[in-house]
Amino acid sequence: MDFVTARLRIAPELRMFLPVSRRQEWQEVTPDGTSTLGHHVESIGIPLTEVGPMTVNGRGVAPAYQPADGDVVEVRPMPRPQQLPEEPRFLLDVHLGTLARRLRLLGIDAAYHNDMDDPALVVQANEERRVLLTQDRGLLRRRALWLGAYVRGSSPTDQLRDLLERFSPPLRPWTRCTACNGRLEPVAKQEVAPLLEAGTRRNYDAYGRCLECGQVYWHGAHSDRLEEIVQSARAWTNSAH
């Protein structure tokens, strides 16, 4: 039998990226002697940032491999937790502001700007070696981007769980400013007393201050809700190991 196509077997975790009309296990592509396997995978809708080991006829290959007629390719998801050369630092696109604040609550280095366009995001991610987090597949396919990740989930809770299970970053709750990502340091009550409302001065004694923007923090009425986020995050991170 003469083959005229290569067949890609797409793992279930990656099929969400396929067009609804083509969301099947097997996909066919036509080798042309120049296009790489990575190009073919992205051409059907899957960002390479989400793809793990690939095999052709049982042999491991890189995205630069050029498929041949008759090849059978296994396309698997990125293993979790994903291994990085150093502790992960993140940059989030304009649509993930709530997720950025929750990451900072957990002490995770999460840069965020609500007015940065795609080219500028790529530049900052590359210069600072940050993993670019987004739900924009086109942004993840930019060739200049050193590393990115698609954030799964529509709610901030689901997005946070997805990210922690994928990268399993160390958690250091209550050590970063949720407003600007700066580090917090303990500060004496008398130093910040002029900045506080009378009720706050009366009811709380322990404070922290951001080294970057000067924002003052204390465990107030909202702390129970934030502590629930912290405890859930610890459980998700532990389950990823």
Side-chain angles (χ1 to χ4, degrees):
M1 177 179 179
D2 293 330
F3 292 95
V4 294
T5 61
R7 303 184 72 211
L8 278 54
R9 186 179 188 182
I10 309 301
E13 297 89 338
L14 296 175
R15 292 175 203 162
M16 61 173 283
F17 296 107
L18 301 173
V20 175
S21 61
R22 296 184 56 193
R23 202 162 286 176
Q24 295 103 21
E25 177 180 10
W26 290 97
Q27 305 289 319
E28 292 188 348
V29 298
T30 302
D32 56 15
T34 58
S35 297
T36 65
L37 177 56
H39 171 81
H40 284 295
V41 169
E42 288 199 324
S43 71
I44 63 174
I46 305 174
L48 281 182
T49 58
E50 309 311 297
V51 175
M54 292 188 287
T55 60
V56 173
N57 305 325
R59 175 174 56 91
V61 295
Y65 172 83
Q66 292 184 1
D69 290 347
D71 279 350
V72 176
V73 184
E74 295 278 349
V75 184
R76 300 181 179 88
M78 184 66 68
R80 295 189 173 209
Q82 183 175 344
Q83 298 300 311
L84 297 178
E86 55 193 29
E87 184 173 318
R89 306 166 69 225
F90 300 106
L91 173 62
L92 292 83
D93 77 6
V94 296
H95 303 292
L96 297 175
T98 300
L99 177 59
R101 289 189 292 274
R102 293 194 180 191
L103 290 173
R104 293 167 178 176
L105 170 67
L106 300 172
I108 298 169
D109 190 342
Y112 170 79
H113 315 275
N114 61 10
D115 58 353
M116 185 173 280
D117 62 16
D118 289 356
L121 284 169
V122 172
V123 169
Q124 182 177 354
N126 292 349
E127 289 182 348
E128 300 178 9
R129 304 303 279 178
R130 293 179 180 273
V131 182
L132 180 55
L133 304 180
T134 183
Q135 293 184 324
D136 182 344
R137 303 177 203 181
L139 182 52
L140 292 176
R141 287 198 292 267
R142 286 181 174 253
R143 293 288 176 232
L145 178 63
W146 86 284
L147 187 59
Y150 184 88
V151 178
R152 298 172 185 242
S154 56
S155 73
T157 297
D158 291 340
Q159 293 167 358
L160 181 61
R161 179 168 187 168
D162 176 65
L163 186 71
L164 296 180
E165 291 179 347
R166 175 163 179 172
F167 292 102
S168 193
L171 304 185
R172 303 179 181 93
W174 316 104
T175 62
R176 282 191 180 273
C177 176
T178 56
C180 81
N181 197 42
R183 293 190 178 277
L184 303 183
E185 67 171 2
V187 62
K189 182 176 181 178
Q190 58 267 29
E191 286 189 40
V192 296
L195 304 174
L196 306 174
E197 298 287 343
T200 302
R201 288 197 302 269
R202 185 168 56 249
N203 294 316
Y204 303 100
D205 293 317
Y207 296 88
R209 181 167 55 191
C210 176
L211 293 170
E212 298 295 328
C213 72
Q215 176 81 28
V216 177
Y217 289 85
W218 62 92
H219 286 277
H222 58 288
S223 296
D224 288 346
R225 180 179 62 84
L226 298 180
E227 188 61 41
E228 288 179 6
I229 295 174
V230 171
Q231 293 306 319
S232 295
R234 285 183 168 135
W236 297 331
T237 301
N238 290 338
S239 70
H241 290 286

